[in-house]
Amino acid sequence: MTDTQPVNVSKPSNKTTLWIVLAAIIFVIAGVLLGIVAGMNARKQAELAQIKQSLGEQFNLGVQELNEGQYDRARQRFEYVLTYDPNYPGAQEKLTEALVKLSVTATPPASPTPEVSPTPDLRGVEELFTQAQQKLAASDWDGAQTLLDSLRKKNPDYQTIQVDGMYYILLRNRGVDKILVQHNLEGGIYDLTLSERFGPLDNTAAGLRNFSRLYLTGSSLWGVDWEKVVYYFQQLAATLPNLTDSSGYTAGQRYYLGLVEYGKVLMSKDLPCDAQIQFELAWSIAPTNELRSLKDDATDQCNASKPPTPDLSTPTPTLTPEASTPEPPTATAEPTPTVTSTP
């Protein structure tokens, strides 16, 4: 008979069990987080695809309404598309076309009494019209204007709406080119102002005209009032720093130079703290050795002009030793006499 001995099975300790539980919880949480992130990415991609599809639908509807003569509805759709995608292909051109036709149809001319007149000879006019269209397609704005001026002089009533639209397109685009490419701000402002006779300006063209006016105003005060120079070119430096006139100076460069010169003026007026602010702004744009010297000089004079800061710290009181009072001597108990009984 064999003796059976119990087998000792070691149980996991409480610490090991705790780690296993924590690992399982972390694994579950990680899985949940990954699922949430994946869901968010999928939803974002779906939203972008939906927006892209919506823009295409709105653009196509706008083209359809433009062809049907519903110019205001078409304008709203093209503006909606450009709000989400300013570079959407063809949207800006269609918006310009809608604006032109809206301006023409806003005040329709009174219907004149028909008169019997001989059929005019339109052979030369039609040729001018076709050539002007070709010049517009090639971005030859000056050539297009020469042809349209000849057409209008030869027959003012030929294709009035289309010719007005062509005038708008050439004047608007030539104005923008003069401002951004040729750096002819005055000429660009003039062309954009003329284009408003044929239709309202879009936001890009109107903004460029306003910025050009700010630039010209600030440059007219150059060397006369540096404070106002800084005021005008600070606005341009924050929005269109590369705007340039025929001098070759950008708006950002003029802002920097204006800060330095205005700081010098403030130093001459014994206002070093105000000058320090102008020099530090200029330093944040382009630090130079000359500017460092100006900034340090203004800082030193500003610190020297400030009143000394009073010492408000509470002094620590000094304890003086006092004469110690002698303690009275401790009375010692006298021995009690032993009383003995009388024998």
Side-chain angles (χ1 to χ4, degrees):
M1 182 174 178
T2 60
D3 295 335
T4 58
Q5 297 179 353
V7 179
N8 294 328
V9 179
S10 61
K11 295 183 180 180
S13 63
N14 294 335
K15 187 175 182 180
T16 304
T17 305
L18 179 61
W19 280 112
I20 294 174
V21 172
L22 289 176
I25 293 174
I26 293 173
F27 180 78
V28 172
I29 293 176
V32 172
L33 291 177
L34 290 175
I36 293 174
V37 172
M40 291 175 63
N41 291 334
R43 183 166 62 253
K44 186 176 181 179
Q45 293 296 328
E47 290 176 354
L48 291 176
Q50 186 176 3
I51 291 175
K52 186 175 181 180
Q53 181 181 0
S54 175
L55 294 181
E57 294 175 354
Q58 292 296 323
F59 179 79
N60 294 331
L61 289 174
V63 173
Q64 179 180 351
E65 291 168 349
L66 185 63
N67 296 332
E68 294 174 354
Q70 303 180 40
Y71 304 132
D72 189 57
R73 290 181 60 85
R75 174 190 63 80
Q76 296 177 22
R77 293 191 189 277
F78 295 138
E79 287 179 347
Y80 171 82
V81 172
L82 291 172
T83 299
Y84 284 95
D85 188 358
N87 299 318
Y88 193 91
Q92 184 61 58
E93 290 78 5
K94 290 297 181 182
L95 175 61
T96 301
E97 183 180 351
L99 291 173
V100 170
K101 292 186 176 181
L102 271 174
S103 64
V104 173
T105 58
T107 56
S111 301
T113 303
E115 297 180 358
V116 178
S117 59
T119 303
D121 184 7
L122 300 178
R123 287 174 296 180
V125 176
E126 291 176 349
E127 184 179 357
L128 290 172
F129 184 81
T130 302
Q131 292 176 355
Q133 287 181 322
Q134 294 172 353
K135 294 291 186 181
L136 285 178
S139 300
D140 184 358
W141 316 123
D142 293 338
Q145 183 177 9
T146 301
L147 292 169
L148 290 176
D149 289 344
S150 300
L151 187 154
R152 274 281 163 90
K153 184 176 180 180
K154 194 168 187 178
N155 189 343
D157 299 324
Y158 179 79
Q159 299 286 358
T160 306
I161 296 177
Q162 289 82 353
V163 171
D164 284 348
M166 294 166 72
Y167 266 115
Y168 174 85
I169 292 173
L170 79 88
L171 289 170
R172 184 266 181 200
N173 291 332
R174 188 174 67 183
V176 172
D177 283 350
K178 284 183 178 179
I179 292 173
L180 295 180
V181 180
Q182 302 175 24
H183 310 307
N184 180 7
L185 304 186
E186 296 90 342
I189 292 173
Y190 180 73
D191 279 350
L192 293 177
T193 302
L194 286 181
S195 69
E196 283 189 313
R197 298 180 179 180
F198 303 97
L201 286 177
D202 57 281
N203 293 334
T204 300
L208 284 175
R209 183 175 63 176
N210 292 335
F211 291 143
S212 299
R213 287 171 174 168
L214 283 176
Y215 189 106
L216 293 176
T217 303
S219 60
S220 67
L221 298 168
W222 196 261
V224 178
D225 191 335
W226 290 112
E227 182 180 5
K228 290 184 179 179
V229 167
V230 170
Y231 169 76
Y232 285 110
F233 283 104
Q234 181 183 20
Q235 302 175 56
L236 290 171
T239 53
L240 200 63
N242 294 324
L243 183 64
T244 311
D245 68 347
S246 57
S247 69
Y249 283 102
T250 66
Q253 291 172 333
R254 285 188 179 271
Y255 175 54
Y256 171 81
L257 295 174
L259 286 171
V260 175
E261 295 301 325
Y262 184 39
K264 293 178 181 179
V265 170
L266 292 172
M267 288 292 290
S268 66
K269 294 181 178 180
D270 197 19
L271 297 171
C273 296
D274 294 337
Q276 179 187 1
I277 296 174
Q278 308 305 316
F279 293 144
E280 287 180 349
L281 287 173
W283 179 266
S284 66
I285 299 174
T288 62
N289 292 331
E290 179 185 1
L291 185 57
R292 180 194 297 274
S293 176
L294 292 171
K295 183 171 68 72
D296 292 344
D297 186 23
T299 302
D300 294 340
Q301 293 190 34
C302 178
N303 293 335
S305 64
K306 294 178 181 178
T309 304
D311 186 7
L312 301 179
S313 59
T314 303
T316 303
T318 303
L319 299 178
T320 57
E322 297 179 356
S324 57
T325 304
E327 296 181 358
T330 305
T332 55
E334 296 181 357
T336 303
T338 303
V339 178
T340 56
S341 56
T342 302

